[in-house]
Structures are given as structure tokens and as C-alpha cells.
């Protein structure tokens, strides 16, 4: 009996967070396997095309983490609603908080690359140094997350170079832009940010949404956002490589 109870405890500890979700949870509507062959680019803010989403379907993405003070709040909110998102991690942040990077992966979210140190002027680096940012970021993220890394890259500030794009094309790594964003790099209250994001989502009707899980106002807003999406009949699409 003792061995049986130990086994049960281990299974419960390993169970995904979604197992505790209620019937009214927003949930993840579907999983979309994103083509990466040839290094395609997605997101109409930067590129001609985006993911094949239907009206009311949104992909939630979070940049720049993990961050000790805010990423756990975002993960908790997503877990309560059975929602899976995509986290574009900075390599040095993942290396500094490996347990948090591993938790993000363990809870079923897609882990992707946002370079090692987030150089805003990656276009001013040599081709070799720019590629080293991508490669070292991928290595650090993969190590911290327990080997989890989708073949997705989001350039810092959406700044890229022809040489880097050509290399990602050779390596079959998809480039992610966005279709709309929360503008959460600007200081505002969670309530103001919620109103802004919902208005933009209503106007866009679908798309890849960009947030930053390093921002306190975003972490505070996410629970209300997910509830609002549920109320409007909007659906979350989880992307995988």
C-alpha cells in the first residue's frame, strides 16, 4: 500500500497544470504545427503573411523571460485557464533561472529563442557575432529548459539582417513577428493595458499577440485577459514546431 500511495503521489506531482482546471476554463482550442522548412516568417506587423488562423483565434506569445517576479504569475494564470502559450526566452535569463525555464517547458508551453542577450542593434554586429547571439541563446535555453526548444526565433526588436535570415532559412528556423501587441513596454495600469489589448484583438479578429512576461503590469493583467477572451468566445491556438 505504501508503494502504491507513493506512486500516486508521483503521478499527481507530474500531472500537467491543466488537470486542475474547471469546466469554465478558457482552455487551448487547438494545437497548430507550424511549418519551419526554409525559415518562413510569420506576423503581419513585420512580414507579408502570418499563421493560418480563423476569426477569433489567437496565439499568445511572451518575450524576454524568464523573470523571477513576474513569469510565475503568468504561468499560474495560464495554468488556471488550461492555456498554453509560446515563450521566447532570452538565453542569459534562462541560464540564470533554469528552474523557471524548466517549469515553463514542463507545463507544456512552447519554448523558443530570443537570442542570448537581446542586442537591440543586432544589425550592427558582424555576421559572426549576430549568429553567435542566436546560437548561444539556443544553447542556453535548451540546457535550462531540459532540452526543450522549438525551431522558432524572434529577433530582438524585430531587427534582422539578410545574412541572419539566410542562415535561418538554411537551418529551417521559423521567424516570428507579431500581428498585434500589447505595447507593454510603455508604463500603464493593468486595466488600461487590458482595454488596449482587447480593443486591438477585436479589431484584428485573429493573430499572434506579443506580450512581455517580464512586465508587472502584464502579469497582473493576464488573468483578466483570459477571462475576457472566454467571455467573447475567442480561442487560444498553441503553436509547436
Amino acid at each position: 500500500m505504501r508503494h502504491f500511495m507513493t506512486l500516486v503521489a508521483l503521478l499527481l506531482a507530474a500531472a500537467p497544470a491543466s488537470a486542475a482546471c474547471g469546466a469554465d476554463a478558457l482552455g487551448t482550442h487547438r494545437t497548430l504545427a507550424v511549418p519551419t522548412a526554409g525559415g518562413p516568417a510569420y506576423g503581419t506587423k513585420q512580414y507579408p503573411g502570418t499563421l493560418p488562423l480563423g476569426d477569433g483565434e489567437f496565439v499568445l506569445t511572451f518575450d524576454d523571460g524568464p523573470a523571477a517576479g513576474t513569469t510565475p504569475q503568468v504561468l499560474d494564470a495560464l495554468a488556471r485557464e488550461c492555456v498554453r502559450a509560446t515563450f521566447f526566452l532570452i538565453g542569459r535569463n534562462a541560464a540564470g533561472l533554469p528552474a523557471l525555464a524548466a517549469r515553463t517547458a514542463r507545463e507544456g508551453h512552447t519554448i523558443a529563442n530570443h537570442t542570448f542577450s537581446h542586442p537591440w542593434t543586432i544589425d550592427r554586429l558582424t555576421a559572426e557575432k549576430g549568429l553567435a547571439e542566436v546560437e548561444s541563446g539556443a544553447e542556453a535555453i535548451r540546457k535550462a529548459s531540459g532540452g526543450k526548444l522549438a525551431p522558432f526565433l524572434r529577433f530582438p526588436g524585430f531587427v534582422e539582417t539578410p545574412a541572419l535570415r539566410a542562415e535561418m532559412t538554411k537551418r529551417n528556423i521559423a521567424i516570428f513577428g507579431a500581428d498585434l501587441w500589447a505595447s507593454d513596454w510603455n508604463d500603464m495600469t493593468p486595466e488600461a493595458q487590458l482595454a488596449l489589448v482587447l480593443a486591438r484583438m477585436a479589431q484584428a479578429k485573429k493573430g499572434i499577440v506579443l506580450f512581455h512576461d517580464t512586465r508587472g503590469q502584464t502579469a497582473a493583467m493576464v488573468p483578466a485577459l483570459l477571462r475576457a477572451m472566454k467571455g467573447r468566445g475567442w480561442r487560444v491556438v498553441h503553436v509547436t514546431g
Side-chain angles (χ1 to χ4, degrees):
M1 176 62 73
R2 182 173 61 188
H3 293 302
F4 174 77
M5 294 304 295
T6 301
L7 177 59
V8 170
L10 288 171
L11 290 172
L12 288 174
S18 59
C21 291
D24 190 47
L26 171 60
T28 299
H29 176 63
R30 67 184 176 104
T31 298
L32 174 64
V34 175
T36 63
Y42 303 105
T44 52
K45 282 286 189 182
Q46 295 80 30
Y47 306 109
T50 191
L51 297 172
L53 302 172
D55 283 352
E57 290 189 334
F58 294 94
V59 174
L60 306 183
T61 69
F62 294 88
D63 281 12
D64 292 1
T70 50
T71 301
Q73 296 178 57
V74 173
L75 292 175
D76 289 347
L78 295 173
R80 284 193 297 271
E81 296 287 346
C82 292
V83 166
R84 289 183 176 175
T86 299
F87 287 79
F88 287 88
L89 305 186
I90 294 176
R92 66 183 179 191
N93 291 353
L97 294 166
L100 192 48
R103 176 191 168 184
T104 306
R106 187 172 63 250
E107 293 185 2
H109 303 291
T110 294
I111 306 297
N113 190 1
H114 200 35
T115 73
F116 183 77
S117 67
H118 198 287
W120 287 101
T121 54
I122 196 170
D123 56 328
R124 299 182 191 175
L125 301 178
T126 65
E128 292 76 16
K129 288 184 178 179
L131 183 58
E133 272 286 338
V134 175
E135 291 179 335
S136 58
E139 182 180 359
I141 294 164
R142 191 178 289 112
K143 181 178 180 181
S145 66
K148 303 294 185 181
L149 183 65
F152 301 160
L153 172 68
R154 181 174 272 158
F155 286 107
F158 305 113
V159 177
E160 59 183 58
T161 67
L164 286 172
R165 278 296 304 275
E167 192 62 34
M168 297 308 106
T169 294
K170 286 167 51 179
R171 299 184 184 200
N172 298 318
I173 295 176
I175 308 302
F176 269 71
D179 296 305
L180 61 150
W181 45 56
S183 295
D184 54 359
W185 46 80
N186 296 318
D187 291 336
M188 65 186 90
T189 66
E191 293 77 16
Q193 186 171 310
L194 177 63
L196 176 65
V197 173
L198 290 176
R200 289 177 176 176
M201 293 172 76
Q203 182 176 21
K205 296 184 173 60
K206 58 184 177 181
I208 304 165
V209 192
L210 167 63
F211 302 95
H212 292 80
D213 56 304
T214 55
R215 297 287 283 163
Q217 65 201 42
T218 297
M221 178 210 66
V222 168
L225 171 70
L226 300 178
R227 286 285 80 205
M229 290 181 68
K230 173 70 175 181
R232 287 162 172 75
W234 295 344
R235 302 173 301 282
V236 173
V237 174
H238 178 217
V239 295
T240 60

